[in-house]
Each structure stands twice: as structure tokens, then as C-alpha cells.
Amino acid sequence: MKRIRTATAMAAALLVAGAAAGCSDDGGGGSAGGTETRNAADAPDTDVVPAATSSSAPAVDVKDGTYGKSLVDEKGRTLYLFEKDSKDKSKCDDDCAKAWPPFTVKATPTAGKGVKKDLLKTIKRDDGSEQVTYNGHPLYRFADDQKPGDTNGQDVDAFGAKWFVVDPDGDKITTKPKTGDGGY
């Protein structure tokens, strides 16, 4: 009788362990080449509510922050470019657009102080919305940036390419951060 109880207990333990292993998710999915880099941008924090992706009174401004002078939206949130995009064409949809909400507008964006008006335009996204571009780069916010001045998305490798803060000339900023408080 003792052997039956021992065997039953061991079988139950194996079943529980097998069920737990079968239900776990390593977050992988990986890529065919097995070289995908995983980071916070690949799996945005579900407790973070992404910044609104559309603005009815849109403006692009320049602020001096962690990486020097860079583009921000009308609320001071950092704007990024995605190296995978081609000129005037976004390649960030679905999960990518959840982690990196496109800066879309319902009205013509205005150029704030330090912004070159001739570089500021919009493009039509595949979903029909209008995304702001600067020097041909579609602009995005990063869902893990919590407040104005945050630059958590700088130099992140996610969704097939890197993301960078944009300077007033419309180029990616690749320099190291300035020392100091890191905000505006």
C-alpha cells in the first residue's frame, strides 16, 4: 500500500510539473536566425499606458535634454525615428506600434521654436491615419517614456532595427548622454 501511495504522489508531482512547464511562456517566439535581441521595447510594460498617439493641436518643438537639442511633441515627450523605416514610409505596425506609438495628428502640425518648418510634414499610414514626419523620418513616441524628458527608447534595438532621438536637423542622435539630471 505504501508503494502505491508513493507512486501516486510521484505521478501527481510529475503531472503538476509537466503542466506548469507546458503553461509557461518564455516570451520567446524568436526569429528564424535565432539572433533577435529582446529588450523592454519588444515587450512593453503592460502597466504602462502609452501616450496618446493622436493630437488635435499638434506641435513639434525642440528641447535641450539628455542628448542635447532634440525633437519633442507639444507635451514635451521625446520623438524618435526608426532605422527600418524608409523615407516617408513607416514600417512599424501592430505590436511595434503598441510599443512605439506613431505620432499621428488630425490637423496640420505646427513647427515650434527651433523646428525647421520645411522638414515637418505628414504621411498617410496603412490604417489611414496621418503620421508626422521630420526630414522624411516618421516620428514615434516610446510607451515606456513616462514623462517629458524621458529618453528610454534611445538606441534600443527592437522590431528589426534601432530607434533614435531626432535632432533639429532631422538626423538621429547617436552621441552619449550629457551628464546631469537627464531631463528638461
Side-chain angles (χ1 to χ4, degrees):
M1 190 67 147
K2 187 175 182 181
R3 278 194 243 197
I4 293 174
R5 276 188 273 170
T6 302
T8 303
M10 288 180 71
L14 286 172
L15 281 172
V16 169
C23 291
S24 73
D25 180 9
D26 67 358
S31 64
T35 59
E36 180 177 26
T37 303
R38 298 224 12 113
N39 58 40
D42 291 331
D45 186 346
T46 55
D47 295 333
V48 174
V49 177
T53 59
S54 186
S55 181
S56 57
V60 176
D61 290 310
V62 173
K63 292 286 185 189
D64 192 11
T66 304
Y67 294 93
K69 293 187 182 302
S70 63
L71 299 184
V72 298
D73 69 7
E74 70 279 354
K75 294 182 179 175
R77 293 174 296 200
T78 303
L79 296 172
Y80 298 89
L81 65 78
F82 183 36
E83 287 189 312
K84 189 174 182 180
D85 288 344
S86 54
K87 185 167 177 65
D88 293 324
K89 178 67 176 151
S90 171
K91 295 193 178 162
C92 179
D93 294 301
D94 305 321
D95 287 342
C96 177
K98 289 176 186 168
W100 299 89
F103 182 26
T104 60
V105 294
K106 296 182 189 323
T108 303
T110 58
K113 186 176 180 182
V115 174
K116 297 177 179 178
K117 186 176 181 178
D118 59 323
L119 298 181
L120 188 62
K121 301 190 181 340
T122 62
I123 57 168
K124 190 168 290 288
R125 291 181 53 80
D126 291 342
D127 65 6
S129 63
E130 292 288 324
Q131 183 173 3
V132 178
T133 66
Y134 196 73
N135 195 28
H137 300 290
L139 298 177
Y140 305 85
R141 299 179 183 114
F142 183 45
D144 284 349
D145 283 352
Q146 297 297 302
K147 64 187 182 315
D150 282 355
T151 55
N152 297 312
Q154 175 66 1
D155 199 25
V156 168
D157 188 4
F159 301 100
K162 287 194 172 191
W163 298 82
F164 290 98
V165 175
V166 184
D167 74 14
D169 291 325
D171 298 319
K172 66 183 177 184
I173 296 175
T174 59
T175 57
K176 298 289 183 204
K178 295 189 321 186
T179 57
D181 66 4
Y184 299 133

